[in-house]
């Protein structure tokens, strides 16, 4: 589903038959364009992101349909595993906007992001592992992130477009549980940069497997 960044949370998507006509479209700045049926111009930032990530060899999503199954812990351990090879440069991007846990898992809580002429600098926990998370942008670890979809999508775009990842062998993207705005955004924004694959994390309980099977369709 293609949803503009400035659309309301209940947006039916620009390709929907109800685009521009649904009750949730009232007041949306895109309503007239959607209702006209005119094709929406491609997001120019998709090409910018592809160029920005040219030096990132592999991009891998870490998914789970269910929360609490150890997805972020797995992401951290996978990063450490890759980094055992000192020649391997590893990046971790935490797009679990409302529940960012990678800084704690990787032992870099309380660090701050610095900005330079080349963009935001990710936080390095070793010479060959870096991480970027919304947690670094909060005044306190106890601050809640209560954002609607468009604002989440905007931050994900910034992480891809404005962070100076440098030359990486692998970029691991830790996503939130379920299949929501964050997943749609990351897949769409990396359309030209290219995704190499995804890892779906679960536990053996049937209640977890039910959600994970749904999440696997994102892959």
């Amino acid at each position: 589903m293609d949803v503009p960044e400035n659309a309301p949370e209940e947006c039916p998507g620009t390709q929907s038959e109800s685009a521009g006509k649904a009750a949730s479209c009232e007041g949306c700045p895109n309503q007239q364009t959607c209702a006209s049926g005119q094709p929406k111009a491609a997001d120019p930032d998709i090409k910018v992101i592809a160029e920005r990530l040219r030096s990132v060899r592999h991009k891998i999503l870490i998914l789970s349909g269910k929360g609490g199954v150890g997805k972020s812990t797995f992401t951290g351990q996978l990063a450490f595993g890759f980094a055992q090879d000192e020649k391997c440069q590893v990046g971790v991007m935490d797009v679990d906007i409302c529940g960012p846990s990678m800084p704690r898992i990787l032992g870099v809580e309380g660090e701050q992001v610095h900005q330079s002429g080349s963009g935001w600098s990710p936080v390095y926990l070793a010479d060959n592992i870096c991480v970027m998370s919304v947690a670094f942008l909060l005044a306190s670890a106890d601050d809640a992130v209560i954002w609607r979809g468009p604002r989440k999508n905007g931050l994900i775009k910034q992480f891809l477009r404005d962070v100076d990842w440098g030359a990486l062998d692998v970029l691991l993207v830790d996503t939130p549980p379920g299949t929501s705005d964050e997943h749609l955004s990351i897949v769409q924004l990396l359309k030209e940069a290219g995704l190499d694959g995804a890892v779906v994390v679960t536990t053996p309980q049937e209640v977890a497997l039910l959600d994970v099977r749904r999440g696997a369709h994102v892959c």
Side-chain angles (χ1 to χ4, degrees), residues 11-22 25 30-31 33-37:
C11 174
T14 59
Q15 306 304 318
S16 168
E17 290 184 4
S18 59
K21 305 169 187 174
C25 298
N30 308 293
Q31 183 178 13
T33 301
C34 292
S36 70

Side-chain angles (χ1 to χ4, degrees), residues 45-46 48-54 56 59 61 93 95 120 132 153-165 171 173 182 185-191 193 195:
D45 281 327
I46 291 177
V48 175
I49 289 168
E51 179 64 26
R52 185 74 160 172
L53 299 181
R54 273 180 55 188
V56 178
K59 307 160 198 75
L61 297 186
M93 185 166 70
V95 298
W120 285 347
M132 187 64 185
N153 298 344
L155 184 64
I156 292 171
K157 180 183 286 189
Q158 283 186 279
F159 281 180
L160 292 169
R161 183 193 61 202
D162 299 339
V163 172
D164 183 14
W165 291 104
L171 176 64
V173 182
E182 293 91 334
S185 292
I186 198 75
V187 170
Q188 290 171 356
L189 291 169
L190 289 176
K191 184 164 53 176
L195 275 170

Side-chain angles (χ1 to χ4, degrees), residues 138-218:
L138 302 177
S140 166
D142 295 327
D143 287 351
V145 180
I146 308 172
W147 291 357
R148 293 187 183 274
R151 192 171 179 190
K152 291 180 184 179
N153 298 344
L155 184 64
I156 292 171
K157 180 183 286 189
Q158 283 186 279
F159 281 180
L160 292 169
R161 183 193 61 202
D162 299 339
V163 172
D164 183 14
W165 291 104
L168 296 178
D169 292 290
V170 60
L171 176 64
L172 303 175
V173 182
D174 186 58
T175 66
T179 50
S180 56
D181 287 321
E182 293 91 334
H183 305 85
L184 294 172
S185 292
I186 198 75
V187 170
Q188 290 171 356
L189 291 169
L190 289 176
K191 184 164 53 176
E192 292 198 17
L195 275 170
D196 291 276
V199 177
V200 183
V201 179
T202 186
T203 54
Q205 291 80 7
E206 185 60 28
V207 70
L209 291 171
L210 284 171
D211 289 338
V212 169
R213 291 188 188 103
R214 298 186 190 104
H217 289 294
V218 174

Side-chain angles (χ1 to χ4, degrees), residues 52-135:
R52 185 74 160 172
L53 299 181
R54 273 180 55 188
S55 57
V56 178
R57 293 179 59 195
H58 300 292
K59 307 160 198 75
I60 301 172
L61 297 186
I62 314 297
L63 309 168
S64 73
K66 193 75 173 174
V69 297
K71 169 185 55 59
S72 295
T73 300
F74 175 82
T75 302
Q77 293 304 309
L78 186 59
F80 284 126
F82 279 125
Q84 288 296 307
D85 180 353
E86 295 181 357
K87 296 180 180 179
C88 184
Q89 295 293 323
V90 183
V92 178
M93 185 166 70
D94 186 358
V95 298
D96 192 346
I97 307 298
C98 294
S101 55
M102 292 313 304
R104 180 162 191 171
I105 288 172
L106 297 176
V108 287
E109 279 186 298
E111 295 290 338
Q112 292 185 334
V113 172
H114 301 283
Q115 191 159 12
S116 66
S118 57
W120 285 347
S121 298
V123 172
Y124 280 81
L125 54 144
D127 288 341
N128 60 337
I129 311 180
C130 62
V131 58
M132 187 64 185
S133 171
V134 69

